Amino acid sequence: MLKTRIIPVLTFNGFALVKTKKFANPRMVGNPVQAARVFNSRGVDELVFLDIYASDQNRKLDPMIVKDVIKECMMPVAVGGGISDLEDIRTLLKAGADKVVIKTKALTDPSFITAASEVFGSQCITIAVDAVLEDGAYMIYNRNGYKVPLLEFMKRSEEFGAGEFIINSVDQDGMMNGFDSTLIHLAESNTKLPVIACGGGGNLEHYKQLFLETETEAVASSSIFYFTQYTPNDIKQELERVGKPVRIV
Amino acid sequence: MKVLIVDYEMGNLGSVQKAFDHLDVLSIISNDHEEIKNADLVVLPGVGSFQKGIENLHRLGLFDLLTQEVVHHKKPFLGICLGMQLLATYGEEPVHTEGLNWIPGKVIKMTPPNLRVPHMGWNNIEVKQDDYYGSISTKDFYFIHSYHFVADDPGVISSTVNYGGEMVSSIQQGNIFATQFHPEKSQKAGLQVLKNFIDHHA
């Protein structure tokens, strides 16, 4: 049976790991190589490493840093930040990434998803869906104010060849007061692709709720691992109690 | 022992080499014909589409060379993910393409009812032939694929995985061993499988 994936997310500012709240107020939380080493020793299912300011600052993610992070990892790693052409993807895969995470480029140029999936296979193209609740509707924005409704963006990305979605609630980001199950359920029930839920986990109860209220099979988190005593295995043990398949190591 | 990881420009070869490094097994990444002939053991990893993989093998002159080395000279061979699928008679990703045909069978899109595709994440295998599965700490391995191998002869299936039905998760035939899962991404159990394969042919 396929196991529920618990995925730590490392968010990077080009210099250090940072943790935001509602995508703002970055707080420095450490060094990516050290963090990767710790999560590797804990045998986590997968890791996500994102440079969250690369696109906004017109930077590329430094492949040497990616290499150093991945060197620590004997599990799959998804990497994203500032990806805008096929060469960027090639560089990250060469540095050892198993999947790439694309957001900005996927929003403004969906045909890029097709180009990327044709060369690298759709299984390695993960689309970041950062949703904001606005007047009762979930919207996906870019920095220039371009916006598209959640389901339209997801449907389009899937048709163009995406392999997976990370659904992130901007409103719950870093708040640690629970997931937006409405958002996650809306997203996962409208796609055949794997979905990773993200944003809001602060205690074990939150994870239990998420998996009882949605059909998602994966969750990505960071705050809970920085600011509480809980580890990915603690979450898995909690999920096992409510009958979810997990891999305890 | 000289391990050669075939560079046919299909994805992440570095992570496979990293796994061999962890096992203290020296390996090189190359597509040089002489290096391949001189290697004691050949590894074909790879992610991407079946068609592109076969295309690259032809372009680099590896299609016939690998067949000669592995099928005729019986060189120990390990295929991983796409490197397993390419052994089939044909694949359908994205269109019908003739494969290496070392293991008669086909590679077709999976259609698990009510389940998401790709099959992505950790899933437990059921071992049918345990030559390379000794001493593994867990049966969970990391999978990431949308197409699966259907073998003509069930006798070559060395393990299966369940995802809306049984699928082949590894194949074994003489000097050939190939996995749909990624041993290099499957932590301790994955390293153990690689070690078992190396030890068996050392």
Side-chain angles (χ1 to χ4, degrees):
Chain A
M1 194 171 217
L2 190 67
K3 308 301 186 294
T4 306
R5 286 179 286 158
I6 311 295
I7 306 168
V9 186
L10 306 180
T11 43
F12 187 60
N13 68 358
F15 172 68
L17 293 183
V18 290
K19 184 63 208 110
T20 52
K21 283 186 177 177
K22 298 182 190 275
F23 277 35
N25 302 318
R27 172 172 161 188
M28 213 173 285
V29 289
N31 168 300
V33 176
Q34 267 170 7
R37 192 174 301 150
V38 169
F39 285 125
N40 184 62
S41 74
R42 288 179 178 164
V44 299
D45 296 328
E46 209 173 305
L47 196 70
V48 173
F49 180 53
L50 299 177
D51 187 330
I52 52 174
Y53 297 111
S55 283
D56 287 354
Q57 297 171 356
N58 287 316
R59 287 192 286 106
K60 299 290 181 194
L61 181 45
D62 181 351
M64 288 313 290
I65 290 170
V66 174
K67 222 172 188 166
D68 286 346
V69 167
I70 292 176
K71 214 162 78 189
E72 302 294 334
C73 301
M74 292 305 285
M75 69 292 202
V77 183
V79 181
I83 293 171
S84 62
D85 57 40
L86 294 180
E87 207 41 50
D88 293 339
I89 299 180
R90 196 167 284 123
T91 305
L92 294 176
L93 295 181
K94 210 163 182 184
D98 298 282
K99 297 188 269 188
V100 292
V101 183
I102 306 173
K103 177 193 164 185
T104 307
K105 184 72 175 171
L107 199 55
T108 51
D109 179 12
S111 67
F112 179 65
I113 302 172
T114 311
S117 64
E118 275 174 1
V119 179
F120 306 106
S122 60
Q123 82 291 331
C124 85
I125 309 297
T126 298
I127 305 296
V129 182
D130 298 336
V132 180
L133 188 59
E134 186 188 81
D135 301 327
Y138 289 104
M139 305 297 289
I140 319 300
Y141 275 92
N142 76 355
R143 60 182 150 155
N144 299 324
Y146 172 77
K147 64 176 175 180
V148 52
L150 169 78
L151 294 184
E152 190 185 318
F153 178 56
M154 289 182 64
K155 188 164 182 286
R156 191 171 83 185
S157 301
E158 185 167 348
E159 280 169 9
F160 276 80
E164 185 182 41
F165 291 113
I166 297 183
I167 310 294
N168 196 357
S169 162
V170 175
D171 305 299
Q172 296 306 112
D173 171 57
M175 303 311 288
M176 301 176 71
N177 54 10
F179 292 91
D180 184 344
S181 292
T182 310
L183 164 67
I184 303 301
H185 178 65
L186 183 65
E188 56 81 3
S189 59
N190 279 283
T191 179
K192 290 286 284 175
L193 297 179
V195 164
I196 303 173
C198 187
N203 62 41
L204 300 182
E205 189 62 29
H206 294 153
Y207 291 83
K208 200 167 87 182
Q209 263 174 5
L210 171 71
F211 285 95
L212 290 174
E213 292 167 3
T214 74
E215 298 289 321
T216 183
E217 291 108 356
V219 63
S221 284
S222 51
S223 297
I224 188 168
F225 304 131
Y226 294 131
F227 306 129
T228 80
Q229 76 274 28
Y230 300 117
T231 66
N233 260 352
D234 294 329
I235 296 173
K236 290 181 183 181
Q237 276 157 3
E238 183 71 14
L239 294 182
E240 195 174 37
R241 280 192 276 274
V242 293
K244 283 282 162 187
V246 290
R247 174 181 156 268
I248 307 235
V249 288
Chain B
M1 165 155 243
K2 252 181 106 175
V3 172
L4 184 135
I5 300 163
V6 180
D7 180 5
Y8 64 123
E9 296 160 19
M10 292 303 285
N12 180 18
L13 312 175
S15 61
V16 176
Q17 186 166 48
K18 189 174 68 184
F20 285 118
D21 290 348
H22 268 261
L23 296 171
D24 284 324
V25 173
L26 220 58
S27 62
I28 57 166
I29 297 176
S30 172
N31 53 32
D32 182 89
H33 289 200
E34 286 310 307
E35 295 274 22
I36 292 172
K37 284 181 195 162
N38 290 331
D40 299 311
L41 190 151
V42 173
V43 183
L44 189 69
V47 291
S49 82
F50 192 100
Q51 186 189 30
K52 186 94 174 80
I54 290 293
E55 225 176 76
N56 287 8
L57 287 182
H58 278 300
R59 180 166 51 78
L60 296 163
L62 299 173
F63 192 98
D64 294 331
L65 178 76
L66 286 174
T67 302
Q68 187 192 328
E69 290 300 312
V70 177
V71 178
H72 301 297
H73 297 160
K74 305 283 178 212
K75 187 165 283 186
F77 173 91
L78 173 67
I80 298 173
C81 197
L82 181 63
M84 172 178 105
Q85 297 189 347
L86 296 179
L87 311 188
T89 311
Y90 70 91
E92 293 184 342
E93 182 187 16
V95 293
H96 185 97
T97 308
E98 303 286 319
L100 287 160
N101 198 26
W102 300 351
I103 309 282
K106 58 185 176 182
V107 175
I108 56 172
K109 180 123 191 170
M110 66 175 79
T111 51
N114 303 318
L115 290 172
R116 301 179 191 278
V117 178
H119 173 219
M120 191 184 290
W122 296 79
N123 204 337
N124 55 295
I125 63 166
E126 192 180 318
V127 175
K128 309 278 186 192
Q129 300 180 48
D130 60 4
D131 304 46
Y132 303 123
Y133 291 111
S135 312
I136 49 173
S137 49
T138 132
K139 287 190 172 142
D140 285 321
F141 291 89
Y142 191 81
F143 289 84
I144 173 168
H145 61 126
S146 303
Y147 288 75
H148 70 117
F149 198 121
V150 181
D152 290 353
D153 170 14
V156 301
I157 299 171
S158 95
S159 70
T160 59
V161 62
N162 195 297
Y163 191 62
E166 284 228 308
M167 291 189 293
V168 171
S169 66
S170 64
I171 275 173
Q172 185 183 336
Q173 181 181 276
N175 54 318
I176 297 170
F177 178 56
T179 64
Q180 178 60 64
F181 58 82
H182 287 268
E184 80 283 11
K185 291 285 160 187
S186 297
Q187 297 167 356
K188 276 184 196 153
L191 289 175
Q192 187 64 46
V193 171
L194 292 178
K195 185 176 185 312
N196 291 346
F197 183 73
I198 296 279
D199 288 352
H200 189 93
H201 294 284

